Amino acid sequence: MKNKSGFQLKELIIIVVITSLLTSLTTGVIMYNNNRITNHVSGSDLNQDENLKEFLKVYASLIGDYYTDFDKKAMLEEAMKAMFNYLGEDYSDYLNKDETDSLASKLNGTYKGIGVQIVDQNIIYKVFPDSPAAEVGMQVGDKIVTINGEDTSNKTSDEVASLIQNATGEKVALGVLRNDSPIQFEIEVKTLLVPAINYQLVDYGSKKIGYLAISTFSNTVAVQVKGALTNMESQGMDSLVIDLRNNTGGYLAQASEIANFFLEEGKIIYSLAEKDTTEEFRDDTSEKRDYPVTIIMNEGTASASEILAAALKDSYHRNVTLVGETSYGKGKVQQTRSLEDGSMVKYTTARWLRPNGDCIDGVGIRPDVEVELLLPSEGEEVVDTQLKEALRILGEV
């Protein structure tokens, strides 16, 4: 059985699929250990590598003898990309600094702001619960017209968001129009959690069924899930739907932590099949839950969300029913090495296995109850057929 230090070590591994781009990164920095560069290769090993010596000779020749100057950094970036292209594997690649920063920001899990989503014409599209904006009474449809007295009529929504985030002091003064009436707000600017979940309690006959949608496994999603479960359980929740549709992944450690909320101590969450060994990772907590669960999936359910679905299906002591469509099928994990310029390389180091021993790579996880999400014709009411089936199953338990 692995203890918590084992899970902290594996936080160096992250699994994520962003839209159609297959990409992965980690939260941690791989530490050098004396002369060791990785667990398997040392500096002295590299010094004795004849192929590497030949590469460096060519590089030195170009630096010294090529007829014109060139960008050495750009050429080495291309050389690194070529190494990963040679592997011919979807998930191993080189990411420049901008690509690294962009992906990291998507999964950071926090942001500085007031808790609103702004769309075109600087109109508030969403006010997040328990946010500074909600506390002062901002509403959907409010239009931001000034920030600290500065007119925003010619600014984009991104520029308005930046002005709010970078405002000096702890508060920002916003002038808004609500139904053409001007209103002034003074709002605290805080570091907030990026909402990664949506939840509500549904009365279904005599049952109180919880609905929990997880959109991404960001760095703060486990905290958000724990709060949602506690809230719904305090209101008498007796079963739960977990919606993982179009959740393309995130931090492996967060998926493991959420699995810990449900599984009994000692149950397998996943295994890693590396080059020479296979290692199991088990629940090491005393926390567990004891109510029926259904999980909704589709072809956009990938990576960390597949790990959670498989862990609950195979290891939860209550029967878990998978509803919807076969998941994406990403059964590999990546490790990364951060480079000094802020870029990174990522490369596959293992396959992950379900608690039952299966690898889902290229295959996915098949649902127990296959339900297609039917799109309505024009004028018809939208019916979530997959959610409807998940609720029906729990309603009959």
Side-chain angles (χ1 to χ4, degrees), residues 206-280:
S206 62
K207 300 290 184 68
K208 285 186 175 294
I209 303 176
Y211 171 79
L212 173 66
I214 306 175
S215 59
T216 187
F217 288 90
S218 68
N219 198 38
T220 61
V221 68
V223 173
Q224 297 178 53
V225 168
K226 183 64 176 291
L229 294 177
T230 300
N231 183 295
M232 291 189 290
E233 288 165 355
S234 70
Q235 299 178 60
M237 179 178 73
D238 49 34
S239 55
L240 177 67
V241 175
I242 301 177
D243 189 345
L244 296 176
R245 289 175 291 184
N246 301 314
N247 181 329
T248 54
Y251 287 116
L252 174 59
Q254 294 291 309
S256 297
E257 189 171 347
I258 294 171
N260 283 338
F261 297 158
F262 293 88
L263 304 185
E264 293 179 321
E265 187 173 2
K267 291 289 187 177
I268 299 175
I269 300 174
Y270 65 93
S271 300
L272 290 183
E274 299 177 330
K275 183 182 293 186
D276 302 316
T277 62
T278 298
E279 191 173 16
E280 292 180 343

Side-chain angles (χ1 to χ4, degrees), residues 274-316:
E274 299 177 330
K275 183 182 293 186
D276 302 316
T277 62
T278 298
E279 191 173 16
E280 292 180 343
F281 292 85
R282 298 175 179 264
D283 187 337
D284 67 342
T285 71
S286 59
E287 183 174 4
K288 64 178 182 179
R289 276 164 171 80
D290 189 34
Y291 41 69
V293 173
T294 60
I295 297 176
I296 313 178
M297 312 181 305
N298 63 7
E299 62 183 9
T301 302
S303 299
S305 54
E306 291 176 295
I307 286 180
L308 178 61
L312 295 187
K313 177 62 183 177
D314 295 347
S315 291
Y316 190 44

Side-chain angles (χ1 to χ4, degrees), residues 99-142:
E99 292 167 333
T100 300
D101 290 344
S102 175
L103 283 172
S105 67
K106 291 179 186 294
L107 292 171
N108 182 44
T110 61
Y111 71 101
K112 186 180 178 184
I114 59 174
V116 297
Q117 184 177 346
I118 306 168
V119 294
D120 290 344
Q121 298 180 8
N122 302 324
I123 294 173
I124 303 300
Y125 176 75
K126 184 178 290 186
V127 179
F128 296 112
D130 303 319
S131 66
E135 290 173 2
V136 300
M138 288 199 78
Q139 298 180 9
V140 172
D142 288 350

Side-chain angles (χ1 to χ4, degrees), residues 21-222:
L21 178 66
L22 307 179
T23 315
S24 300
L25 64 138
T26 66
T27 57
V29 177
I30 299 172
M31 302 300 293
Y32 287 82
N33 181 13
N34 295 327
N35 196 36
R36 304 301 295 180
I37 295 176
T38 73
N39 289 333
H40 307 285
V41 180
S42 69
S44 60
D45 293 330
L46 295 180
N47 289 335
Q48 298 171 26
D49 189 322
E50 294 300 324
N51 294 317
L52 181 59
K53 289 180 181 179
E54 289 299 315
F55 174 85
L56 292 175
K57 287 178 183 176
V58 173
Y59 178 60
S61 297
L62 291 175
I63 292 174
D65 302 333
Y66 193 67
Y67 80 102
T68 186
D69 291 333
F70 58 88
D71 188 331
K72 296 192 290 289
K73 183 177 184 299
M75 185 174 73
L76 289 175
E77 285 183 358
E78 291 301 317
M80 284 188 283
K81 291 178 183 179
M83 285 193 289
F84 290 111
N85 288 338
Y86 168 78
L87 295 175
E89 197 257 348
D90 288 332
Y91 307 112
S92 298
D93 200 1
Y94 166 83
L95 282 73
N96 64 33
K97 185 179 185 304
D98 289 341
E99 292 167 333
T100 300
D101 290 344
S102 175
L103 283 172
S105 67
K106 291 179 186 294
L107 292 171
N108 182 44
T110 61
Y111 71 101
K112 186 180 178 184
I114 59 174
V116 297
Q117 184 177 346
I118 306 168
V119 294
D120 290 344
Q121 298 180 8
N122 302 324
I123 294 173
I124 303 300
Y125 176 75
K126 184 178 290 186
V127 179
F128 296 112
D130 303 319
S131 66
E135 290 173 2
V136 300
M138 288 199 78
Q139 298 180 9
V140 172
D142 288 350
K143 180 177 181 177
I144 299 175
V145 293
T146 63
I147 299 175
N148 288 335
E150 182 178 350
D151 179 64
T152 62
S153 58
N154 294 320
K155 296 187 182 300
T156 66
S157 57
D158 286 341
E159 290 171 335
V160 166
S162 180
L163 282 174
I164 293 172
Q165 292 168 349
N166 297 316
T168 58
E170 297 180 353
K171 294 186 176 183
V172 61
L174 296 187
V176 309
L177 285 179
R178 179 181 299 169
N179 298 324
D180 296 326
S181 298
I183 305 175
Q184 292 291 324
F185 291 106
E186 189 170 318
I187 309 177
E188 187 176 4
V189 179
K190 300 172 64 176
T191 298
L192 304 168
L193 298 182
V194 177
I197 67 169
N198 176 37
Y199 72 94
Q200 62 179 307
L201 201 58
V202 179
D203 289 319
Y204 192 92
S206 62
K207 300 290 184 68
K208 285 186 175 294
I209 303 176
Y211 171 79
L212 173 66
I214 306 175
S215 59
T216 187
F217 288 90
S218 68
N219 198 38
T220 61
V221 68

